[in-house]
């Protein structure tokens, strides 16, 4: 009897372990927010948008991270990334390099403050397509909530790179 009870417990534990694939993603998608130092409104212009987009486009090859949809706000950016299996560098390294490259190109040499980005960034792993859809709806509507446009589709500083 005791042996059987032990077996039932093990089977029950294994049943629980079978659900882990629902919370651990082999190909996770991260939601990233990076803010400008002192929240200076220097990003919502065509020049900055082009630089940000070009540098997001290079993350796959240089750092092993594919970039999805992105929204550039005047003083911060939101974007989605997922690792390219077998190629990725740590997320903190990839985002740090992206911030370094964009800062060098956006800030003219010798003019204005030396730093563009705050030292830290916010990252959140999305656990389901529903979570991703909710987060994208929030990001997409950010310019509307900020009073910058009446409709999200009118915001000219949204881009998609490797996936939507």
């Amino acid at each position: 009897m005791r042996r059987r009870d032990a077996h039932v417990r093990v089977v029950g534990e294994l049943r629980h372990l079978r659900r882990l694939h629902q919370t651990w993603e082999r190909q996770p998608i991260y939601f990233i927010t990076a803010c400008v130092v002192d929240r200076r409104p220097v990003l919502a212009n065509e020049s900055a948008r082009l630089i940000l987009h070009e540098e997001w486009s290079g993350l796959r090859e240089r750092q092993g991270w594919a970039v999805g949809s992105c929204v550039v706000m005047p003083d911060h950016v939101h974007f989605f990334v997922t690792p390219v299996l077998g190629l990725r560098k740590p997320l903190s390294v990839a985002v740090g390099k992206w911030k370094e490259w964009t800062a060098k190109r956006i800030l003219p040499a010798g003019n204005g403050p030396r730093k563009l980005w705050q030292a830290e960034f916010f990252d959140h792993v999305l656990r389901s397509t529903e979570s991703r859809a909710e987060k994208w709806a929030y990001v997409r509507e950010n310019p509307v909530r900020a009073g910058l446009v009446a409709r999200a589709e009118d915001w000219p500083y949204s881009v998609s790179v490797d996936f939507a």
Side-chain angles (χ1 to χ4, degrees), residues 23-154:
T23 58
W24 182 80
E25 297 283 339
R26 183 166 186 250
Q27 191 74 27
I29 295 176
Y30 292 85
F31 169 65
I32 308 292
T33 299
C35 298
V36 172
V37 170
D38 299 327
R39 301 299 292 255
R40 298 184 324 268
V42 297
L43 301 177
N45 60 72
E46 190 57 20
S47 175
R49 186 198 66 80
L50 286 172
I51 291 167
L52 294 167
H53 186 261
E54 286 173 12
E55 295 301 340
W56 277 317
S57 296
L59 270 181
R60 176 187 279 274
E61 183 180 322
R62 287 183 254 174
Q63 301 296 319
W65 287 87
V67 178
S69 299
C70 315
V71 172
V72 179
M73 296 294 289
D75 61 357
H76 66 282
V77 295
H78 297 291
F79 59 102
F80 296 87
V81 295
T82 191
V84 178
L85 296 179
L87 299 175
R88 74 175 175 93
K89 294 185 179 161
L91 181 60
S92 60
V93 171
V95 174
K97 288 296 185 184
W98 174 84
K99 288 165 66 175
E100 177 185 335
W101 302 325
T102 56
K104 285 179 180 177
R105 293 183 63 197
I106 291 171
L107 294 177
N111 296 338
R114 293 197 182 280
K115 293 192 178 225
L116 177 63
W117 301 107
Q118 291 179 1
E120 300 294 321
F121 65 91
F122 170 81
D123 67 292
H124 174 74
V125 66
L126 303 179
R127 290 184 168 79
S128 70
T129 54
E130 180 180 352
S131 175
R132 182 173 159 199
E134 288 171 7
K135 197 57 88 173
W136 174 241
Y138 167 80
V139 169
R140 188 170 176 271
E141 292 295 321
N142 209 0
V144 175
R145 284 191 308 278
L148 300 170
V149 290
R151 299 176 317 151
E153 52 271 11
D154 294 337

